[in-house]
């Protein structure tokens, strides 16, 4: 008899428990009618499941945008939402940050001064950004796992799955303009197809100055209370048939099936809230062994590396306005996970998460040994996991250093590795030189626009020293050992000489190489010190670390999949939600403050008064624009003030969100837009691994503050004429 664990689990999923807990969970929209809608309505929701997800009629999902990049459009880096019938979308400032920065110069510093297109002709084109709309979802588990049994070897299993997925995706895309993606759920026990319409012409419409859009900077990131006006606006364009098209001057604003009504009613403690979006990655069902490796080894080292990098960048940014423009987006990217990792460790310690995981595993082991059938499927899994993670730990650490301190340490190191393909071309490949050179010219222009050699020199010395000091030699690339020996551990001396000799710290030298490149130059390129370093790191990573890490990861993945199936079989009365995987989800909860720690309790919302209280022209992150000060002191809040006459800025709620949910629409019980999700409270960021409704809070920007800034501060009130605003 053929055993099909995946299909068995599907049956479990469709039948398991009726108890659905509000607040926690990232729910699949097509299953809301079956599992969630009654609970949502009891919590205050006034619409139906069909109002959220309907493949036959316009519904709320049609106003939600997944922001991605060409080449990987299904990995949504942020979420946005349509707020007019003329393609206007709003998302977070930090989601648009890269685009805003790319358009910024010393003469037109849109990061510092903000940007507002006062006509359609002034909207700025952003190459490579995509806007995806979910058309439909479908459970395709049976087709994906066809002919796969418990005895199928893991490598064979994955090959069969990839083949089956391609067939499903090809069939979904046939004779259509749609793009299809099949992704695993519940650690590969279930698979869903998502079909998207993807637009490629996305233009920047407006963004407040960073003093509003990034107010509080990285100091306030991941924190509550929060006073950040974290929003930017874009417009989606289509061809004249309203179909997706690459940028063209005669493209027109797309006409959506649905856009959100915008509510001025505001929020009160306990109000129902719902978030739509594309959450990136969560791992709620890991074992204690995985948490131990993450919190006691991997994250502490990554935090240490990034602390050093941030200290170096911050000092140079504070000393130079030009460096601040060049490195602000990079700094924010490094700081984001750095701060989250610290919060995760503290949050998991607070919850005693590892002990709770071990307690669950003890129960699982006892349950798995209650009869022969269960023993055959699940006995020994926990012990095997423990052994694998013990073997994986040093490899994982070496991998982290290769990435964080090696390839992503000094910028020139990663940049130099991009020339590896060019250096390997032979006489047989002479017809490929022109294309390779042209691609590298574009990458070079982009790289040097935001490059500062003195900063990179400090990063190179510091990260290589950490790389060398924290790993055994058997986990180090040969070139790092050679450098350490030759320079007697003086990595600053090495960095000085290497960057002086290398072409990769000088745009003119790179351009000269590319302009005159011949096959014979490959050997010369290989002798460049930064090229040699970068390729030594990458070679060691790809030949020594990745294969060992991959082999062990595949083994843990297989065990995790089986463990997941066992948990669901053991806990039949519990309704499980799948981990986030950058697919469309619905989250719901309520507006709520929280008690952070002893004698420290927070309200559920903040106001402009808090911004003025933080105002300090001597600190970059808290230097409030004069016009905002003037509006505050004049109480010139227009129709956007709350019932108390305050200008609301942000609010906190219990929706279970994560990265990728940035920019997600936050809706009230009537499905009206009341805010933009942009962060989580630091005390609860461990929600990616373990959720706690008492302290986990998503942080949202009040839509009334968005409208206030657009209208009163920016003088771009014409945009409000496009919107459907309700009171």
């Amino acid at each position: 008899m053929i055993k099909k664990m995946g299909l068995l689990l599907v049956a479990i999923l469709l039948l398991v428990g009726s108890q659905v807990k509000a607040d926690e969970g990232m729910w699949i929209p097509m299953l809301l009618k079956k599992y969630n809608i009654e609970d949502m309505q009891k919590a205050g929701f006034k619409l139906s499941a069909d109002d959220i997800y309907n493949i036959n009629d316009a519904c709320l999902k049609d106003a939600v945008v997944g922001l991605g990049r060409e080449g990987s459009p299904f990995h949504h880096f942020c979420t946005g939402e349509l707020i007019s019938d003329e393609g206007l979308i709003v998302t977070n400032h930090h989601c648009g940050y890269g685009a805003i920065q790319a358009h910024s110069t010393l003469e037109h510093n849109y990061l510092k001064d903000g940007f507002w297109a006062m006509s359609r002709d002034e909207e700025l084109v952003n190459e490579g950004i995509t806007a995806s709309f979910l058309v439909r979802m479908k459970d395709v588990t049976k087709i994906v796992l066809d002919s796969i049994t418990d005895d199928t070897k893991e490598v064979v299993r994955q090959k069969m799955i990839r083949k089956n997925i391609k067939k499903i995706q090809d069939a979904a895309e046939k004779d259509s303009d749609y793009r299809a993606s099949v992704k695993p759920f519940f650690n590969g026990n279930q698979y869903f197809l998502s079909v998207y319409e993807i637009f490629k012409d996305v233009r920047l419409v407006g963004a407040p100055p960073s003093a509003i859009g990034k107010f509080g900077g990285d100091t306030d990131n991941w924190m509550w209370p929060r006073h950040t006006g974290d929003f930017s606006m874009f417009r989606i364009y289509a061809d004249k048939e309203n179909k997706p098209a690459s940028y063209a001057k005669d493209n027109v604003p797309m006409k959506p099936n649905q856009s959100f009504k915008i509510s001025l009613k505001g929020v009160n403690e306990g109000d129902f809230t719902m978030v739509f979006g594309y959450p990136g990655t969560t791992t709620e069902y890991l074992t204690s062994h995985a948490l131990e490796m993450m919190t006691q080894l991997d994250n502490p080292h990554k935090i240490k590396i990034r602390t050093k990098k941030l200290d170096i960048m911050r000092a140079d940014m504070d000393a130079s306005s030009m460096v601040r423009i060049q490195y602000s987006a990079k700094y924010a990217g490094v700081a984001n996970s750095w701060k989250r990792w610290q919060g995760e460790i503290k949050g998991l310690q607070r919850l005693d998460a590892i002990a709770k995981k071990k307690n669950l595993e003890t129960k699982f082991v006892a349950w798995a040994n209650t009869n022969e059938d269960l023993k055959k499927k699940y006995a020994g899994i926990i012990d095997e996991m423990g052994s694998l993670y013990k073997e994986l730990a040093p490899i994982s650490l070496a991998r982290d250093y290769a990435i964080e301190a090696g390839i992503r340490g000094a910028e020139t190191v990663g940049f130099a590795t991009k020339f590896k393909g060019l250096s390997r071309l032979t006489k047989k490949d002479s017809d490929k030189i022109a294309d390779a050179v042209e691609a590298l010219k574009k990458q070079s222009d982009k790289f040097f626009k935001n490059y500062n050699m003195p900063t990179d020199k400090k990063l190179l010395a510091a990260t290589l020293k950490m790389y060398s000091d924290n790993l055994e030699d058997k986990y180090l690339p040969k070139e790092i050992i050679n450098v350490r020996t030759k320079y007697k551990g003086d990595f600053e001396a090495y960095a000085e000489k290497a960057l002086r000799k290398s072409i990769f710290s000088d745009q003119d030298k790179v351009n000269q190489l590319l302009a005159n490149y011949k096959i014979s130059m490959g050997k010369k390129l290989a002798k460049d010190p930064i090229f040699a370093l970068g390729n030594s790191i990458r070679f060691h990573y790809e030949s020594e670390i990745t294969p060992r890490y991959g082999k062990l990861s595949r083994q843990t993945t297989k065990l995790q999949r089986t463990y997941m199936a066992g948990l669901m079989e053991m806990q039949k009365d519990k309704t499980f939600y799948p981990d986030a995987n950058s697919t469309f989800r619905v989250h719901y909860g309520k507006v709520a403050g929280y008690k952070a720690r002893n004698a420290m309790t927070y309200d559920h919302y903040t106001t402009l008064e808090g911004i003025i209280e933080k105002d300090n022209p001597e600190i970059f992150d808290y230097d409030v624009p004069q016009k905002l000060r003037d509006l505050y002191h004049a109480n010139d809040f227009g129709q956007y003030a709350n019932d108390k006459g305050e200008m609301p800025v942000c609010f906190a709620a219990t929706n279970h969100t994560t990265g990728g949910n940035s920019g997600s629409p936050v809706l009230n019980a009537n499905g009206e837009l009341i805010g933009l999700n942009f962060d989580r409270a630091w005390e609860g960021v461990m929600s990616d691994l373990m959720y706690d409704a008492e302290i986990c809070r998503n942080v949202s920007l009040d839509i009334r503050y968005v409208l206030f800034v657009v209208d009163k501060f920016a003088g771009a009130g014409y945009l409000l004429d496009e919107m459907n605003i309700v009171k």
Side-chain angles (χ1 to χ4, degrees):
M1 177 179 170
I2 296 177
K3 299 176 184 175
K4 296 189 177 180
M5 285 281 291
L7 299 184
L8 172 62
L9 183 59
V10 174
I12 295 171
L13 287 175
L14 296 177
L15 297 172
V16 72
S18 59
Q19 298 177 11
V20 178
K21 184 180 179 183
D23 306 318
E24 181 178 3
M26 300 179 175
W27 305 101
I28 301 171
M30 63 175 286
L31 298 179
L32 291 176
K33 185 180 293 187
K34 190 176 187 74
Y35 294 119
N36 305 86
I37 194 61
E38 289 185 8
D39 181 71
M40 294 170 69
Q41 290 170 340
K42 287 177 183 177
F45 186 53
K46 297 179 181 178
L47 303 179
S48 69
D50 284 335
D51 290 320
I52 296 174
Y53 176 86
N54 191 321
I55 62 173
N56 297 313
D57 297 305
C59 58
L60 294 176
K61 79 164 174 62
D62 297 328
V64 183
V65 182
L67 294 172
R69 295 182 177 89
E70 286 194 62
S72 56
F74 305 126
H75 178 74
H76 302 105
F77 64 85
C78 276
T79 305
E81 52 271 6
L82 282 156
I83 54 172
S84 86
D85 292 331
E86 298 179 58
L88 185 66
I89 65 172
V90 62
T91 186
N92 287 157
H93 185 272
H94 74 262
C95 294
Y97 202 81
I100 302 164
Q101 190 267 349
H103 291 297
S104 293
T105 63
L106 282 175
E107 293 75 24
H108 300 286
N109 191 341
Y110 299 138
L111 285 177
K112 180 177 181 294
D113 303 324
F115 167 79
W116 295 96
M118 291 302 173
S119 70
R120 300 280 167 86
D121 291 339
E122 294 180 4
E123 295 173 359
L124 301 177
V125 178
N126 303 285
E127 186 178 348
I129 294 180
T130 61
S132 300
F133 293 89
L134 177 68
V135 177
R136 60 186 173 89
M137 291 185 75
K138 182 181 179 181
D139 186 338
V140 291
T141 308
K142 185 175 181 179
I143 306 172
V144 172
L145 298 181
D146 182 48
S147 301
I148 293 173
T149 73
D150 288 350
D151 299 323
T152 303
K153 292 183 179 180
E154 191 66 14
V155 174
V156 175
R157 175 192 172 95
Q158 294 307 318
K159 185 177 181 179
M160 292 172 67
I161 285 174
R162 285 193 296 270
K163 183 178 179 181
N164 291 339
I165 284 176
K166 188 176 187 309
K167 287 181 180 178
I168 296 167
Q169 291 175 170
D170 289 347
E173 293 177 356
K174 187 177 181 181
D175 299 326
S176 79
D177 295 322
Y178 297 148
R179 294 287 304 280
S181 172
V182 174
K183 290 191 175 182
F185 291 67
F186 295 106
N187 299 112
N189 284 292
Q190 192 171 20
Y191 289 82
F192 277 85
L193 164 72
S194 297
V195 178
Y196 299 96
E197 187 171 31
I198 302 177
F199 291 80
K200 300 178 181 179
D201 187 353
V202 182
R203 306 182 195 179
L204 178 63
V205 174
S210 291
I212 291 176
K214 206 173 183 298
F215 182 79
D218 294 295
T219 305
D220 284 1
N221 189 26
W222 299 110
M223 304 302 285
W224 182 259
R226 197 67 175 275
H227 300 86
T228 309
D230 197 348
F231 79 96
S232 58
M233 290 181 171
F234 293 78
R235 193 182 304 279
I236 304 171
Y237 281 75
D239 65 18
K240 292 180 180 178
E241 280 71 48
N242 204 40
K243 296 294 185 182
S246 297
Y247 167 76
K249 191 173 182 180
D250 59 351
N251 281 352
V252 296
M254 65 93 69
K255 299 295 182 184
N257 293 326
Q258 183 89 358
S259 62
F260 286 117
K261 294 179 180 178
I262 299 175
S263 173
L264 294 181
K265 300 170 190 173
V267 299
N268 295 302
E269 184 95 16
D271 281 356
F272 176 89
T273 58
M274 177 170 61
V275 174
F276 288 165
Y278 290 90
T281 303
T282 58
T283 48
E284 302 286 342
Y285 307 107
L286 290 176
T287 64
S288 61
H289 315 294
L291 284 193
E292 285 176 331
M293 187 178 79
M294 183 185 301
T295 60
Q296 297 172 14
L297 184 70
D298 287 350
N299 283 3
H301 278 271
K302 289 190 291 187
I303 290 166
K304 183 167 63 173
I305 297 168
R306 291 199 176 194
T307 298
K308 177 62 72 174
K309 292 165 70 173
L310 290 168
D311 288 345
I312 290 169
M313 284 191 281
R314 169 60 78 178
D316 285 8
M317 288 165 64
D318 287 345
S320 166
S321 297
M322 187 61 199
V323 175
R324 181 173 294 281
I325 291 174
Q326 292 173 320
Y327 280 78
S328 56
K330 302 172 192 176
Y331 185 96
V334 172
N336 194 48
S337 293
W338 167 79
K339 195 167 187 177
R340 173 173 57 83
W341 290 328
Q342 295 175 70
E344 278 182 351
I345 291 172
K346 287 185 177 293
L348 292 170
Q349 289 173 341
R350 175 184 173 276
L351 288 178
D352 201 12
I354 292 174
K356 288 179 179 176
K357 292 281 188 180
K358 287 182 175 179
N359 182 52
L360 176 61
E361 289 156 14
T362 298
K363 293 178 180 178
F364 181 85
V365 169
W367 170 80
N369 283 281
T370 53
N371 63 57
E372 290 304 315
D373 286 342
L374 292 178
K375 282 182 183 180
K376 189 174 181 180
K377 289 190 289 186
Y378 305 120
I381 286 177
I382 300 302
D383 286 342
E384 194 173 348
M385 278 279 207
S387 298
L388 281 173
Y389 274 102
K390 187 176 291 186
E391 188 177 351
L392 180 62
I395 308 300
S396 180
L397 188 63
R399 180 176 181 269
D400 289 338
Y401 270 93
I403 295 170
E404 294 285 340
I407 298 167
R408 297 179 187 168
E411 290 184 274
T412 42
V413 174
F415 179 54
T417 62
K418 297 179 185 296
F419 286 69
K420 182 179 179 181
L422 181 66
S423 73
R424 289 190 165 186
L425 293 180
T426 65
K427 290 181 179 180
K428 295 179 181 179
D429 306 311
S430 57
D431 59 324
K432 299 178 182 178
I433 292 178
D435 288 343
V437 165
E438 186 60 31
L440 288 169
K441 280 181 179 178
K442 290 181 180 179
Q443 293 185 54
S444 176
D445 289 342
K446 186 176 181 180
F447 175 79
F448 283 107
K449 182 179 185 290
N450 297 308
Y451 177 72
N452 183 55
M453 198 266 274
T455 303
D456 204 45
K457 187 191 302 182
K458 297 171 190 173
L459 289 169
L460 181 61
T463 54
L464 287 185
K465 178 172 173 51
M466 297 182 80
Y467 201 162
S468 173
D469 288 352
N470 286 279
L471 294 179
E472 296 178 50
D473 281 5
K474 65 181 179 180
Y475 296 119
L476 288 174
K478 289 182 179 179
E479 189 65 16
I480 290 183
I481 296 174
N482 293 340
V483 168
R484 184 182 63 198
T485 302
K486 182 177 179 180
Y487 289 85
K488 299 179 181 179
D490 188 349
F491 287 101
E492 290 184 4
Y494 164 76
E496 170 67 36
K497 186 173 181 179
L499 287 177
R500 181 163 32 86
K501 292 181 64 178
S502 175
I503 69 166
F504 294 103
S505 61
D506 188 318
Q507 186 171 14
D508 290 338
K509 291 180 180 179
V510 171
N511 288 343
Q512 185 178 3
L513 171 84
L514 293 174
N516 303 286
Y517 194 80
K518 298 179 178 62
I519 294 295
S520 59
M521 298 171 117
K523 292 181 180 179
K524 180 181 178 181
L525 189 58
K527 294 179 181 179
D528 184 282
I530 297 299
F531 184 87
L533 174 67
N535 283 287
S536 176
I537 293 171
R538 186 169 287 281
F539 176 78
H540 184 264
Y541 175 72
E542 292 175 350
S543 63
E544 298 294 329
I545 304 302
T546 299
R548 296 167 70 185
Y549 183 87
K551 180 181 178 181
L552 292 168
S553 292
R554 285 191 293 273
Q555 291 175 276
T556 58
T557 296
K558 180 179 180 180
L559 289 175
Q560 182 68 39
R561 183 175 65 243
T562 307
Y563 178 55
M564 183 80 244
L567 282 178
M568 300 181 79
E569 191 175 344
M570 180 178 79
Q571 298 175 305
K572 285 183 166 56
D573 293 331
K574 178 180 178 179
T575 301
F576 288 76
Y577 59 90
D579 275 320
N581 60 358
S582 204
T583 58
F584 191 79
R585 303 295 179 89
V586 175
H587 325 244
Y588 58 97
K590 61 180 182 295
V591 176
Y594 68 100
K595 182 177 180 180
R597 58 189 66 90
N598 182 47
M600 189 174 288
T601 301
Y602 293 127
D603 292 335
H604 68 280
Y605 76 107
T606 61
T607 68
L608 183 55
E609 181 181 1
I611 293 177
I612 301 303
E613 288 174 350
K614 289 181 176 179
D615 187 12
N616 186 342
E618 301 301 315
I619 301 176
F620 181 83
D621 289 339
Y622 297 109
D623 186 6
V624 176
Q626 185 58 48
K627 187 170 183 180
L628 192 59
R629 296 187 189 112
D630 294 342
L631 289 167
Y632 171 77
H633 291 299
N635 285 322
D636 188 5
F637 307 144
Q639 62 180 330
Y640 313 114
N642 64 17
D643 293 340
K644 298 178 182 179
E646 304 165 320
M647 185 61 247
V649 176
C650 300
F651 63 91
T654 62
N655 301 280
H656 188 181
T657 61
T658 188
N661 277 124
S662 291
S664 288
V666 184
L667 309 181
N668 62 16
N670 296 313
E672 299 160 343
L673 186 67
I674 54 174
L676 280 67
N677 183 81
F678 73 94
D679 208 352
R680 286 175 286 163
W682 193 64
E683 294 86 355
V685 294
M686 75 291 176
S687 59
D688 285 352
L689 302 153
M690 185 176 286
Y691 182 89
D692 178 12
E694 293 299 314
I695 203 166
C696 290
R697 296 291 181 269
N698 68 305
V699 178
S700 301
L701 174 62
D702 196 303
I703 197 64
R704 291 172 293 180
Y705 189 60
V706 173
L707 301 180
F708 163 76
V709 171
V710 172
D711 185 6
K712 294 287 187 175
F713 179 87
Y718 77 94
L719 290 169
L720 276 64
D721 297 336
E722 297 182 34
M723 305 175 195
N724 186 357
I725 299 174
V726 296
K727 298 183 179 180

